[in-house]
Structure formats: C-alpha cells, structure tokens
Amino acid sequence: MALTPVENQTPGFVALVAAAAGAFFGLFVGTAQGSGLLGVLIGAALVGGLGFALAGMRDQERLIRWVLIAAFAVAGFVMGGLPAAVMGLLFGAFVGWFIFWLSTSRYRVHLAPYLTPGQVLWHYTFRVICGAIFIFLITPILVVMPLSFNAQDFFTFTPEMIRFDPEGYSLKHYRDFFTNADWQQAMWNSIKIAPMATILSVGFGTLAAIGLSQPHVPFRRAIMAILISPMIVPLIISAAGMYFFYSRIGLQGTYFGVVLAHAALGIPFVIITVTATLVGFDRSLTRAAANMGAGPVTTFFRVQMPLILPGVISGGLFAFITSFDEVVVVLFVGSAGQKTLPWQMFIGLREQISPTILAVATILVVVSICLLTVVEMLRRRSERLRGMSPS
C-alpha cells in the first residue's frame, strides 16, 4: 500500500483551496450587502491571491499572520467601525492560519498516511458540511440572545447596539418579564403543569419500558409503536384528537386535562431512553434477588432502579422540556386559566409584538442547555455503569 508523504504544497494548490474558502465567506458577506455573486468573486480573488503570494513565505509565518490580523482589523474599522473591526480581526486570524495550514500540509499530520487525496478531501468536506449545518441551526438561537438586551422596543439591532454603545443595551425586557402579571401567571402555570406531566410520564413510561423489555410479552412491537406514536403523528392531529376526546369526558379546559395531554407527549421519550438503558441490563441480577427472597417491588427499587436511573432521569428531563416548551396541544386542550409560557409567547407574537418574548426565549434556551447538559452527563454515567466506556 502506497503511503502519501507529508510535504509542502505548491502555491497553486494553496491558492485554489484558499479561493474556495474565500468564496464561501464572501457569499455571506455579499448576500448581506445585496450582491452574493460579487461577494463570492471578491472573496475568492482576495483570499486566493493571498494564498498564492504567501504560500512560499513559510519561514515568516508568525509575522505574516500578525500583519494579516492587523490589516483586516483596520480595513474593517474603516468600513464599518468597531463591530466590523472585530469581524476583520477574526477573519484575518483565520486567513493567516488557513493559508499556512495548507501550505505546510499540516492538515495531513493527524491523518493516516495511506489516505488518497480524494479521501483527504472527503474527510474535510464532510466536516465542513457538518459545521455549516450546525451554524445554520444554532445561529438563529444565538441572534436572539443579544437582541433580548435591546434598550429599544425593536426586534432588530439598533445603531447603538452595533457600535457596542452601553446605552443601546438594557435589562428592561427581563424586568418586564419578572414584573408583568400576565407573564408571571403564564410562568407559574408552566411550572405547575410541567412537573406533574413529567412525574406521570416517568411513572407510566418506565413501567411500560420494563414490561416491553420482557421477551414473553405478546405483540411487543405493536404496543411499542402505539406508545411512541405521539412522537411520529403530527402534533396538530394529536391536539385535535385530544380536544374532541377531552370535550366528551369533561377534561377540556382543565388543569388535569393539560397535564394528561403533556404526559402523553412525554411518555415516548421516557420509553425510548429507559429501553436503551435496559439493553445493557444484566437480568441475572433480578433472578439472583428473587432467589434470595426479594419480592418484585423490592427487586425493582433495590436492584433494577439504581442501574436504570440515568435513563429514567434522562427521559424525565426530555419529558419536562417537551411539556415546558409545548404550545399546540395546550391551545386546543387548555383554557385561559392554563395559559402557559409558550402560549403567552405565541400571543405576544400574534396580538402584540412584545420584545419581552426575546428575554423569555433566552431564559428558555439557557434552561434547555442546562437540562441537556445534565442529560449528557447522565448518558455517560449510564455507559460507565454498563461497562461501555472505560472512563
């Protein structure tokens, strides 16, 4: 098998790849300025030309990188002030690093030496595609956060915010959230509904997962498909069905009805996470407990529950997030007395454009990040308990 040597690249190769990167960034800048094609051409020409000119100057890499950082920062400041200077500084740092990363073939150092150029290209192309998808998904969330500190009642960045003027930033929207009676009532409704729905989801979902994990249960796959169907069926259909059913039995517009509806939405998450945890569960432990005289309830709480607890808590957190963020079902099943936080946000968008929504959205994002961090920590702990991870 032929090995590909790690050697310095030609200026033409560096210029070609750098031009592609410059065109990618130029597309975004040009689109923001009203001409995506012009941005692509200018970005490709600028970065490609720098790559061709600097590829042979590897012995002065440190100096050249600092010069590029300073040059792009100054150019950004001249064209758009301090914010553009910061973007220019970051772009200059990237361009300097990228050009010498290519020209010295540092991109191959950590790869297997037998990879062909095509395989190396796909290796990095795949990562660029994944990074672009991640950026497109996360950028709308990140944009909301600074907007929530807007001193004006606008959903856009004001000139003061763009200039990083302290007068352009304020906590007024957060104060409105914590002092407004409507927002506080909606928050307390969510706090009352979500935990109760989570408790029901965890209880029923855990029991269902344990029961369906037994090989002697008939029609296991069909029952599992029915139980996780709320994740698959469009939410509007589930909400309409719950509305007609709850109306007939007198639960429509009641607190208990909303809790049951949210519990039905959370049960599939608990079933899936607990079932995944039970895959690595050693069933000889329950048989050993039974041989020692322990009853089914004692065996469950003293033997089985401690081992599957990470999966149960993970499912509970997902159920809590589902209930806390859900708006479609509560619009059908609930009434004005069960107006939750997402429902109030929906009203703020439809009836009165309130920037307080941005502050609430930021708080919900932070809460969701904290909960998902806990879920990830529990997932790793579950893997260690099942012997799937060495650390």
Side-chain angles (χ1 to χ4, degrees):
M1 181 180 295
L3 300 181
T4 304
V6 178
E7 57 186 12
N8 294 332
Q9 297 295 336
T10 63
F13 171 82
V14 176
L16 180 63
V17 181
F24 180 77
F25 286 101
L27 174 63
F28 294 99
V29 177
T31 301
Q33 299 299 323
S35 178
L37 179 59
L38 184 61
V40 169
L41 296 177
I42 294 177
L46 177 61
V47 182
L50 288 173
F52 187 84
L54 303 177
M57 305 172 66
R58 303 176 188 89
D59 54 337
Q60 304 180 39
E61 176 181 349
R62 183 180 297 273
L63 175 62
I64 292 174
R65 289 176 65 174
W66 280 110
V67 170
L68 287 175
I69 292 174
F72 277 100
V74 171
F77 183 79
V78 171
M79 291 186 294
L82 183 59
V86 174
M87 297 301 297
L89 185 147
L90 296 176
F91 185 69
F94 168 78
V95 169
W97 167 82
F98 187 67
I99 288 174
F100 289 103
W101 181 70
L102 290 172
S103 64
T104 57
S105 294
R106 287 200 287 263
Y107 63 91
R108 289 202 69 116
V109 171
H110 301 291
L111 300 180
Y114 53 79
L115 294 182
T116 64
Q119 291 172 325
V120 174
L121 176 63
W122 170 244
H123 175 84
Y124 286 107
T125 301
F126 177 75
R127 280 153 180 76
V128 169
I129 294 173
C130 293
I133 294 173
F134 175 78
I135 290 173
F136 278 111
L137 291 176
I138 204 69
T139 299
I141 299 175
L142 297 179
V143 168
V144 167
M145 294 184 177
L147 281 176
S148 66
F149 298 97
N150 194 343
Q152 305 297 326
D153 294 332
F154 302 134
F155 280 82
T156 58
F157 290 97
T158 61
E160 291 80 9
M161 295 184 69
I162 295 177
R163 293 197 305 265
F164 295 109
D165 187 347
E167 295 184 357
Y169 297 86
S170 173
L171 295 174
K172 60 180 293 187
H173 304 309
Y174 290 90
R175 284 195 298 268
D176 181 56
F177 169 68
F178 287 107
T179 58
N180 186 284
D182 292 335
W183 284 108
Q184 288 301 294
Q185 182 63 39
M187 182 183 71
W188 285 114
N189 282 337
S190 293
I191 291 175
K192 289 188 295 184
I193 291 172
M196 291 303 301
T198 302
I199 292 173
L200 292 178
S201 298
V202 170
F204 292 128
T206 302
L207 293 177
I210 294 175
L212 293 174
S213 65
Q214 305 298 322
H216 63 271
V217 176
F219 308 110
R220 287 191 304 159
R221 297 185 183 277
I223 297 173
M224 175 70 78
I226 294 173
L227 290 177
I228 67 173
S229 61
M231 295 181 62
I232 304 170
V233 177
L235 203 54
I236 188 68
I237 297 178
S238 299
M242 290 177 182
Y243 170 77
F244 289 114
F245 177 67
Y246 285 7
S247 298
R248 290 181 176 273
I249 61 177
L251 289 179
Q252 198 279 329
T254 64
Y255 168 79
F256 188 60
V258 177
V259 170
L260 284 180
H262 282 187
L265 297 179
I267 285 175
F269 293 96
V270 180
I271 291 177
I272 290 174
T273 55
V274 175
T275 301
T277 307
L278 287 170
V279 169
F281 181 74
D282 187 0
R283 302 192 181 281
S284 62
L285 296 175
T286 57
R287 292 194 293 269
N291 290 334
M292 297 297 291
V297 177
T298 303
T299 300
F300 172 74
F301 284 105
R302 299 293 295 272
V303 177
Q304 196 169 23
M305 190 63 178
L307 294 177
I308 67 173
L309 187 61
V312 173
I313 297 177
S314 298
L317 291 176
F318 278 116
F320 179 85
I321 294 173
T322 301
S323 174
F324 203 80
D325 293 343
E326 202 282 322
V327 64
V328 178
V329 170
V330 75
L331 284 173
F332 278 80
V333 177
S335 63
Q338 294 87 43
K339 187 182 298 181
T340 60
L341 205 54
W343 187 350
Q344 183 65 31
M345 294 175 68
F346 179 75
I347 292 174
L349 285 173
R350 187 185 63 178
E351 299 179 3
Q352 51 178 0
I353 304 300
S354 173
T356 308
I357 297 171
L358 302 176
V360 180
T362 302
I363 294 173
L364 292 179
V365 168
V366 173
V367 171
S368 298
I369 291 174
C370 293
L371 292 178
L372 291 176
T373 302
V374 174
V375 169
E376 177 62 19
M377 295 171 62
L378 291 171
R379 184 191 65 81
R380 295 185 180 186
R381 181 178 182 274
S382 178
E383 288 183 355
R384 289 197 300 269
L385 289 176
R386 289 183 289 163
M388 298 175 60
S389 177
S391 58

